[in-house]
Amino acid sequence: MEKILEVNNLHVSFRTDYGKVHAVRGVSFHVHKGETIAIVGESGSGKSVTSKAIMRLIKEPAGKIEAGEILFEGRNLLSLSKREMKKVQGSKISMIFQDPMSSLNPTMTIGAQIGEGLVAHQNYKKSESRKRVIELLELVGISEPHIRYKHYPHQFSGGMRQRAAIAMALACNPKILIADEPTTALDVTVQAQILELLKDIQKKLGTSIIFITHDFGVVANMADRVMVMYAGKIIETGTVDEIFSEPRHPYTYGLLASMPSLHEEAGALFSIPGSPPDLSALPKGDPFAPRNRLALEVDFEMEPPAFQLSETHYASTWLLHPDAPKLDLTGSMGQKQKEKAKNEAVKDKRQSTEKVLELSNVSKIFKIGRGKLLHAVNGISLDVYKGETVGIVGESGSGKSTLGRTIIGLLQADGGSIKFRGKDFQNIKSNDDWQAAKRNMQMIFQDPYSSLNPRLTVSDIIGEGIDIHRLFKSRNERNKEIVELLETVGLSRKHASRYPHEFSGGQRQRIGIARALAVNPSLIIADEPISALDVSIQAQVVNLLKSIQEERELTFLFIAHDLSMVKYISDRIGVMYKGQIVELAKSSELYKNPLHPYTKALLSANPIPDPAVERQRERIVFQEAEYNQERERVFREVGDDHWILCSEKEFENVRKYESITKDMK
């Protein structure tokens, strides 16, 4: 196959206040024409820096490409002048960034931004570009493109903005498309649509794709070959089947084992211990050695070379040396831990009949201009029992976060009642009762950085709630409690005096959890607390929440769009669609026997970390227009604690299906 891109011995560094950061250290790889190569690894592994180096987007003088060559169609991109490189950027090599809102100009219409590339690289006149822009918007699946091209980025949803960013990247028919985490924050259905779109475009145009992600389900769906990066180096590379079926580096094993599956029983997730190394002060030897349960003495002395396993499969670990002891990598790093976790899983924590939270016909309405109303939460009724975790899933705009914020009092409900521990939360008159209710109900937010005050130390952030509710009489007692909370969430005393910007995303989320625990609440609402974290850090946070729950008998309302993670942490799951819970069931039951068409569509869109499965399965598309023709629906019980929102006719069909299924069993 023809090589369209070759990266040889690439080194990239950054100057910081803490010293020189060696972000990319001797990376070499190639991309064939028309293939998709996936680059995976935790945050800070060098994935995005490598892609930006290819595009020559490393900002100088702080950043510097110190060595190497990047050959595109035989030319070394690093030797081109800025003017020559501009002819390549966007025209020959395009990039889709992780956050489309930050990569789109908020002062320009979508059409004008896509048209810019056509005028600059394709010699279109401004008056001629309109037709092509509309074609591109239609190509990426944006409805009414002749209207939408006049709109601004803020008028698009997250999924639509990402589609617009793809249209912009494709405007000049590039030969290479670099997609940097393009689906990380998107719903599974929108993600599935975008992945299908990219594959379809690749078939039509023969585009080569470099896909950067930390989601192995997406890798299984998209990739031909996979590169695993750690501490600025490629530590394993191979075909997608080799990496998934025969991973040989302990880090690759750990990442794969950290991924939850819809087809396994819930339990504790396997997680890689520790955190990635500081790239400004790398340890001697293999940077992964301190986190590697199988590390040999030589790992702490020398970095391993790449050992060849097949024509396409290489891994850099001393465990592959002919003289290394023969160890069971599967047992030590992956499957046996998963089996152990599965055996230790708690099947149903809802043993208490005490209701912590009672929602009755709760609604929240927003005015969206010109007399239009949005029923963000539309008549939800739900009981949550002491010690259980209720997961809430659904697409963006389904009302999940609005429901959480309404329950905790950040938004005022427009109808219905919210009872917390038997008391009407919305009609509390006494200030003491109000303070007690607020103390017992806490929230963990999606973005730990924006929810933490950057001017306060970690000690003051955690201690703020303690001070407001006057939980300790002396300063010494307060500080002792803060240290204990830090240790509970896997941090230490030394972190108390630091500021939020000094921590990684996973560590900041731990601080947010410690802050929520500080006032000893009985209910915690976790709003997308893991969506922006690496899979290994996600596993650590989820395991942490489960262990804290068992220790403190906490009750959780867990809001997320990652269906696999929700299954692992939840006892019951409610599926939301357009402000309503359309299906509610025990976690295992919902995934084994989904009954509502919207639930079936969500589950079919969830990527599975298995290339063989991803190649064969078909996605179910929810027929929204057809479903919405039926208006008269009520919540009905169709099985043991299994409820769906359905009409009388739909209910009869479900009962027939259940009867047939039961007979077959």
Side-chain angles (χ1 to χ4, degrees):
M1 291 177 69
E2 181 187 345
K3 292 179 184 177
I4 193 168
L5 181 76
E6 287 184 79
V7 177
N8 298 317
N9 197 32
L10 182 66
H11 288 260
V12 183
S13 65
F14 294 89
R15 288 187 299 172
T16 71
D17 294 338
Y18 300 98
K20 190 176 182 180
V21 173
H22 301 275
V24 175
R25 305 181 300 123
V27 164
S28 298
F29 67 95
H30 63 270
V31 182
H32 292 123
K33 188 175 181 180
E35 82 165 335
T36 298
I37 184 168
I39 306 178
V40 299
E42 293 169 291
S43 295
S45 62
K47 308 186 302 293
S48 294
V49 175
T50 300
S51 67
K52 287 178 180 177
I54 294 169
M55 291 289 289
R56 290 273 301 274
L57 295 176
I58 303 297
K59 291 183 179 179
E60 299 176 343
K64 184 180 179 182
I65 299 175
E66 295 190 316
E69 60 178 6
I70 300 169
L71 302 176
F72 172 66
E73 295 185 326
R75 288 199 303 171
N76 185 2
L77 298 181
L78 300 182
S79 65
L80 300 183
S81 66
K82 287 186 178 180
R83 189 172 182 179
E84 289 173 319
M85 191 63 204
K86 277 190 175 180
K87 293 179 181 178
V88 176
Q89 293 168 336
S91 175
K92 302 290 182 71
I93 306 176
S94 285
M95 191 164 184
I96 306 166
F97 295 92
Q98 181 173 355
D99 181 5
M101 196 62 184
S102 63
S103 62
L104 294 172
N105 189 330
T107 67
M108 292 176 66
T109 64
I110 292 293
Q113 294 185 65
I114 297 173
E116 266 190 325
L118 295 170
V119 173
H121 299 294
Q122 300 289 306
N123 298 320
Y124 276 76
K125 292 180 181 178
K126 283 189 177 181
S127 57
E128 298 172 339
S129 65
R130 177 181 176 275
K131 183 181 177 183
R132 178 58 179 156
V133 169
I134 291 173
E135 287 175 358
L136 285 164
L137 290 174
E138 191 171 13
L139 177 69
V140 298
I142 291 179
S143 59
E144 300 180 308
H146 59 289
I147 296 172
R148 285 295 193 174
Y149 91 102
K150 299 176 183 177
H151 288 182
Y152 290 85
H154 73 270
Q155 294 175 285
F156 278 41
S157 68
M160 287 173 64
R161 283 196 292 267
Q162 196 61 281
R163 287 166 184 264
I166 293 171
M168 193 183 307
L170 295 172
C172 300
N173 298 327
K175 295 185 177 181
I176 297 176
L177 182 64
I178 301 173
D180 187 5
E181 300 271 15
T183 62
T184 296
L186 300 180
D187 305 315
V188 288
T189 48
V190 177
Q191 174 178 265
Q193 291 167 13
I194 285 175
L195 296 181
E196 286 176 9
L197 170 66
L198 289 174
K199 287 192 285 188
D200 186 51
I201 288 166
Q202 186 177 44
K203 284 180 184 176
K204 290 177 181 175
L205 304 178
T207 310
S208 300
I209 298 176
I210 299 174
F211 203 100
I212 298 166
T213 183
H214 61 247
D215 188 335
F216 271 95
V218 172
V219 173
N221 182 289
M222 288 291 296
D224 298 308
R225 287 189 296 125
V226 183
M227 297 189 325
V228 182
M229 288 191 72
Y230 186 80
K233 279 197 166 188
I234 296 171
I235 51 101
E236 185 162 9
T237 183
T239 65
V240 67
D241 292 301
E242 286 171 334
I243 294 298
F244 278 85
S245 62
E246 298 180 79
R248 301 300 298 274
H249 196 288
Y251 179 63
T252 310
Y253 268 105
L255 288 179
L256 287 167
S258 298
M259 285 290 295
S261 170
L262 292 175
H263 304 293
E264 293 179 357
E265 291 296 326
L269 287 167
F270 174 82
S271 64
I272 302 171
S275 301
D278 181 354
L279 294 178
S280 64
L282 282 167
K284 186 180 178 182
D286 183 355
F288 185 62
R291 305 175 70 189
N292 184 5
R293 293 186 176 95
L294 303 174
L296 307 172
E297 285 186 22
V298 68
D299 281 307
F300 297 94
E301 297 296 328
M302 298 170 60
E303 277 202 81
F307 292 91
Q308 185 171 359
L309 300 158
S310 74
E311 190 177 334
T312 53
H313 195 180
Y314 296 81
S316 299
T317 171
W318 286 115
L319 293 171
L320 295 175
H321 191 279
D323 296 332
K326 305 303 177 187
L327 300 174
D328 180 9
L329 270 70
T330 306
S332 300
M333 294 302 296
Q335 193 58 39
K336 286 189 178 177
Q337 273 74 8
K338 280 195 166 186
E339 290 297 326
K340 184 171 180 277
K342 187 163 61 175
N343 294 334
E344 292 174 351
V346 180
K347 299 296 180 185
D348 186 359
K349 292 196 290 288
R350 201 188 80 194
Q351 297 171 348
S352 173
T353 56
E354 180 186 339
K355 294 179 183 178
V356 173
L357 186 67
E358 298 172 72
L359 309 181
S360 179
N361 204 31
V362 174
S363 64
K364 179 62 190 174
I365 302 170
F366 294 102
K367 293 180 181 178
I368 54 175
R370 296 188 179 182
K372 291 185 178 180
L373 300 175
L374 174 65
H375 293 265
V377 176
N378 189 6
I380 285 183
S381 297
L382 176 69
D383 293 333
V384 181
Y385 295 84
K386 183 179 179 181
E388 77 165 337
T389 297
V390 174
I392 302 292
V393 299
E395 296 172 288
S396 292
S398 62
K400 308 186 302 294
S401 294
T402 302
L403 175 64
R405 289 168 180 269
T406 303
I407 291 170
I408 206 166
L410 294 175
L411 297 171
Q412 182 66 37
D414 293 309
S417 69
I418 300 171
K419 287 185 178 180
F420 178 63
R421 288 180 154 182
K423 294 183 179 179
D424 192 336
F425 184 65
Q426 298 180 98
N427 295 314
I428 295 174
K429 305 298 182 185
S430 163
N431 188 55
D432 289 343
D433 288 344
W434 175 254
Q435 288 291 336
K438 295 291 284 184
R439 181 175 70 82
N440 279 291
M441 198 186 299
Q442 291 291 305
M443 194 161 192
I444 301 169
F445 295 92
Q446 178 175 358
D447 182 358
Y449 194 71
S450 64
S451 64
L452 300 177
N453 190 330
R455 295 182 178 86
L456 295 181
T457 64
V458 167
S459 177
D460 289 334
I461 288 169
I462 297 172
E464 196 171 21
I466 294 172
D467 298 337
I468 289 169
H469 295 286
R470 298 172 184 170
L471 299 182
F472 291 98
K473 293 180 180 179
S474 72
R475 191 79 178 173
N476 284 339
E477 286 180 326
R478 171 192 182 273
N479 292 339
K480 184 181 177 183
E481 176 67 11
I482 289 169
V483 170
E484 287 180 3
L485 285 164
L486 285 170
E487 290 173 350
T488 299
V489 299
L491 298 173
S492 65
R493 180 188 298 270
K494 67 180 181 181
H495 293 120
S497 59
R498 297 183 184 178
Y499 291 86
H501 73 272
E502 299 179 78
F503 294 88
S504 67
Q507 288 175 321
R508 286 197 289 265
Q509 196 59 282
R510 290 168 183 265
I511 295 166
I513 294 169
R515 178 178 61 182
L517 294 172
V519 292
N520 198 25
S522 54
L523 171 67
I524 290 181
I525 298 172
D527 185 10
E528 298 273 14
I530 56 172
S531 64
L533 303 178
D534 299 318
V535 288
S536 55
I537 307 300
Q538 283 183 359
Q540 290 176 12
V541 171
V542 166
N543 289 340
L544 171 64
L545 291 174
K546 292 184 81 169
S547 65
I548 291 171
Q549 181 180 37
E550 290 171 11
E551 289 171 11
R552 301 193 176 206
E553 291 189 325
L554 284 170
T555 304
F556 278 104
L557 193 69
F558 192 86
I559 299 167
H561 65 253
D562 186 330
L563 303 178
S564 303
M565 278 296 184
V566 171
K567 181 188 175 185
Y568 262 78
I569 200 168
S570 303
D571 301 299
R572 290 186 297 149
I573 297 173
V575 180
M576 282 191 71
Y577 169 71
K578 288 193 172 180
Q580 296 180 305
I581 292 179
V582 296
E583 186 161 7
L584 176 67
K586 291 178 181 177
S587 175
S588 57
E589 172 67 14
L590 186 81
Y591 288 94
K592 286 177 184 174
N593 187 27
L595 298 177
H596 197 279
Y598 180 69
T599 308
K600 292 177 181 178
L602 278 182
L603 291 173
S604 76
N606 197 70
I608 295 171
D610 186 330
V613 173
E614 282 295 308
R615 289 188 195 109
Q616 294 176 4
R617 75 183 187 130
E618 294 183 9
R619 190 166 68 87
I620 298 170
V621 178
F622 177 53
Q623 303 298 331
E624 187 174 5
E626 187 179 312
Y627 175 79
N628 288 333
Q629 288 176 1
E630 176 67 67
R631 296 291 180 185
E632 298 299 323
R633 289 187 171 89
V634 295
F635 217 45
R636 305 170 194 265
E637 188 171 16
V638 293
D640 180 22
D641 209 10
H642 193 161
W643 300 71
I644 66 167
L645 188 70
C646 60
S647 65
E648 185 65 41
K649 183 180 177 181
E650 290 166 338
F651 183 54
E652 288 301 319
N653 290 336
V654 167
R655 283 182 20 179
K656 286 178 185 176
Y657 169 77
E658 288 287 276
S659 177
I660 293 168
T661 305
K662 189 175 181 181
D663 290 342
M664 288 174 67
K665 288 178 180 177

